[in-house]
Amino acid sequence: MEAYVKQNIQNNIATIEFFHPEQNSLPGNILAQLANTITEVGNNNEVKVIILKSGGDRTFCAGASFQELISINDADTGKVFFSGFANVINAMRKCPKFIIGRIQGKTVGGGVGIAASTDYCMATKFAAIKLSELNVGIGPFVVSPAIERKMGVSAMSQIAIDANTFYDANWAKEKGLFANVYESIEEMDEAVQKFAEHLCTYNPEAMLEMKKVFWRGTEDWDNLLAERAAISGRLVLSDFTKETLNKFK
């Protein structure tokens, strides 16, 4: 299947779905489409709540495209590459509607940042998380503000330093990333749909004001995440990272 970002609106609920055949690892063009779609749907007056999901049944998101990562040869290109997830996170932050995350399987790196940027996140027991960036000589600089905001500095630093380990869905729930964990995709999907329908019965103005409150203190993230993207863009050119990435070519 080809990579895609698509949207569907029914009964005031917008479902945004992204997919890439390489375990939902996202290249720059798909990240740009995703950010633009979130912004577009968020500004649609017909929409009261958004469900964010990925295609497939195994991996929610394996982070950024590894093929694009290993092709970076200059700092400007590196900054643009790492700005992909920054733009998605900022689109989610600025979106005036609640975003429900639907996490069906493992998620790595930038995918954890997306999950952390939803306003309410539901997952299956298969939704283990990992921040693997340190393994290749960089770090989760772009996504860490979102993860820290949701899970706290302690949990964020634990998974950032322990870059080889998948932490299971129940651990992520205990740390505040997931609101609920379900035994199966079917059970989760039923719960997500019912929850979204229930949110549609609330006052949209009240939900908008609540979202502003929830994201208070993040007004500088346009600049902050751009600065973080520049750090990663510089580090990806280091001898250490280049030597590590060459092993995967």
Side-chain angles (χ1 to χ4, degrees), residues 2-189:
E2 295 292 322
Y4 62 76
V5 176
K6 61 186 181 182
Q7 59 170 290
N8 178 55
I9 301 173
Q10 284 189 320
N11 301 321
N12 304 122
I13 300 169
T15 300
I16 299 173
E17 180 177 320
F18 62 86
F19 174 77
H20 193 279
E22 295 179 1
Q23 295 183 313
N24 288 330
S25 60
L26 303 181
N29 65 319
I30 293 295
L31 286 167
Q33 287 182 48
L34 182 57
N36 290 337
T37 302
I38 291 167
T39 299
E40 175 191 335
V41 170
N43 291 327
N44 186 332
N45 291 331
E46 181 187 348
V47 175
K48 292 185 177 180
V49 64
I50 297 169
I51 297 170
L52 182 61
K53 62 185 289 188
S54 66
D57 60 3
R58 295 180 63 85
T59 305
F60 171 71
C61 178
S65 167
F66 197 77
Q67 294 304 313
E68 286 191 358
L69 176 64
I70 63 178
S71 69
I72 294 171
N73 290 311
D74 62 85
D76 288 341
T77 302
K79 182 179 179 181
V80 170
F81 172 82
F82 289 104
S83 293
F85 274 99
N87 293 335
V88 172
I89 290 170
N90 274 323
M92 297 173 73
R93 173 177 68 88
K94 296 174 184 178
C95 178
K97 313 293 169 58
F98 284 155
I99 301 175
I100 303 170
R102 179 255 194 205
I103 316 298
Q104 80 277 27
K106 288 183 176 179
T107 187
V108 179
V112 183
I114 289 179
S117 301
T118 63
D119 299 295
Y120 196 96
C121 202
M122 304 162 85
T124 71
K125 65 181 181 182
F126 307 106
I129 64 171
K130 179 168 75 168
L131 294 180
S132 58
E133 288 86 346
L134 197 57
N135 276 319
V136 293
I138 53 177
F141 298 107
V142 169
V143 298
S144 61
I147 298 168
E148 178 184 331
R149 170 185 167 271
K150 186 60 69 77
M151 303 176 71
V153 175
S154 177
M156 186 277 292
S157 60
Q158 182 177 340
I159 57 176
I161 294 170
D162 187 9
N164 286 316
T165 300
F166 271 104
Y167 285 77
D168 68 31
N170 285 317
W171 184 90
K173 180 177 182 290
E174 290 171 3
K175 302 302 181 183
L177 180 62
F178 300 146
N180 301 102
V181 174
Y182 300 92
E183 288 293 311
S184 67
I185 292 177
E186 294 76 17
E187 186 181 348
M188 175 187 63
D189 282 341

Side-chain angles (χ1 to χ4, degrees), residues 197-234:
E197 290 172 358
H198 188 67
L199 286 180
C200 287
T201 67
Y202 292 152
N203 182 349
E205 187 177 355
M207 291 190 284
L208 170 61
E209 294 300 328
M210 286 176 67
K211 178 141 186 176
K212 290 178 182 178
V213 169
F214 296 155
W215 286 90
R216 182 172 178 265
T218 65
E219 293 80 8
D220 66 335
W221 277 25
D222 281 344
N223 292 327
L224 174 65
L225 298 191
E227 292 169 1
R228 296 290 185 86
I231 294 172
S232 293
R234 172 173 53 82

